[in-house]
Amino acid sequence: MTRRVEVGAHRLDRWVDGFAARHDGVTTAVEPGRVLLTGGDGVRAVGETFDHARIGLVLVRRGGHAVGVDEGGELTSHKCGTRYVQSRTKAGGWSQQRYSRRRGNQADAVVTAVAELALRHLPPGRVDALVLGGDRSLAEQVLTDPRLAHLGDLERRTLWDLPDPRLTVLREAARRARAVRFVLDD
């Protein structure tokens, strides 16, 4: 059976001690970007690290957006906001098409606004890595802006399971960005 676990960097030592206690000891191997744990009973845990000094965060959903910079576990720069994007309608015919166009235009406005915020908070050379979260298609559309080409080459972590971005969600995303993601094979 395979399980996935996110372990915060501040809890890692304690979690490894618990893993060792549950699995009859542990053998640890550390590689760049990975932590390999093998229990005495044969259970393996492969952890993916994301350890960067400055991480840029771009979170987008139809109900809100947030852009920020996390330096060493502290949000040093951020901006959160909301924009209205109409939900789907069950009306048929021309009305449905008109609402669909309006929804598309409103979503495009969100993407443009987030691209502007990213340009302001994440200029070239400001961050070492990038976290994208929220709505996958909207977040990826933000990065298609040619002015943000410098973000395309950065190491990336994704958090698609986030709710509408607010300041608390941005802080949680920054914490989760630095967490070690373990895959356990029992």
Side-chain angles (χ1 to χ4, degrees):
M1 183 166 108
T2 301
R3 293 185 302 142
R4 298 182 187 284
V5 179
E6 283 186 1
V7 179
H10 64 284
R11 292 183 35 227
L12 185 59
D13 291 336
R14 199 169 73 219
W15 190 86
V16 171
D17 291 342
F19 181 87
R22 288 186 302 274
H23 299 286
D24 195 29
V26 67
T27 304
T28 306
V30 179
E31 300 174 359
R34 290 175 39 149
V35 176
L36 306 167
L37 304 175
T38 306
D41 59 358
V43 174
R44 291 178 38 98
V46 179
E48 173 192 325
T49 62
F50 196 72
D51 191 25
H52 298 278
R54 298 169 304 174
I55 299 174
L57 298 112
V58 176
L59 313 177
V60 189
R61 282 212 176 274
R62 293 184 190 278
H65 55 273
V67 174
V69 176
D70 176 276
E71 294 188 37
E74 184 87 24
L75 274 178
T76 57
S77 169
H78 62 85
K79 179 69 176 169
C80 304
T82 61
R83 283 191 171 253
Y84 178 73
V85 177
Q86 182 174 348
S87 62
R88 293 181 178 230
T89 181
K90 292 189 179 196
W94 287 10
S95 293
Q96 186 176 21
Q97 293 168 5
R98 184 178 70 236
Y99 290 136
S100 178
R101 281 192 305 274
R102 181 181 300 158
R103 200 171 39 255
N105 290 339
Q106 290 167 343
D108 289 346
V110 168
V111 167
T112 301
V114 174
E116 291 294 330
L117 287 175
L119 193 60
R120 187 175 333 139
H121 290 275
L122 308 173
R126 174 83 191 270
V127 294
D128 308 321
L130 183 66
V131 172
L132 289 181
D135 183 298
R136 175 183 231 133
S137 64
L138 290 178
E140 289 175 351
Q141 282 180 16
V142 168
L143 293 184
T144 62
D145 189 314
R147 299 172 299 170
L148 298 175
H150 62 280
L151 298 177
D153 296 333
L154 297 177
E155 187 176 347
R156 189 176 300 173
R157 183 167 264 191
T158 58
L159 301 169
W160 304 128
D161 60 343
L162 295 174
D164 282 347
R166 303 288 186 262
L167 183 56
T168 56
V169 175
L170 183 63
R171 286 187 175 127
E172 176 67 11
R175 185 197 62 75
R176 285 182 61 194
R178 294 184 180 282
V180 179
R181 290 181 174 174
F182 280 101
V183 176
L184 287 94
D185 292 322
D186 294 337

